[in-house]
Amino acid sequence: MTRLLAAAPPTRRSPVERVLPRDDRASMHGALESAVLRGFVYGVSGLVWLVVMLFIARHCLR
């Protein structure tokens, strides 16, 4: 989050620069990092949900 806030605003590119391919490795790395982080957050929240459901089921069956 701090990297996004510290990043400079994008500069406007000319039409010629828009047509030329550019190196998207930085954006690909950011996308991969975001996907891994999102997967980790979803995985941890799913495990927490599962543990809470197990505690509820254990409490109800006693």
Side-chain angles (χ1 to χ4, degrees):
M1 183 60 127
T2 55
R3 277 187 266 158
L4 292 175
L5 294 173
T11 57
R12 300 200 111 204
R13 297 187 305 163
S14 70
V16 174
E17 289 175 334
R18 288 186 207 146
V19 175
L20 296 175
R22 60 182 184 156
D23 189 17
D24 282 341
R25 288 189 181 142
S27 64
M28 288 171 46
H29 176 77
L32 178 63
E33 183 180 351
S34 176
V36 169
L37 182 61
R38 189 179 310 126
F40 177 76
V41 168
Y42 285 148
V44 169
S45 64
L47 287 175
V48 168
W49 181 85
L50 184 63
V51 168
V52 168
M53 288 295 129
L54 288 173
F55 281 140
I56 290 171
R58 187 174 138 200
H59 176 74
C60 289
L61 295 176
R62 281 190 166 192

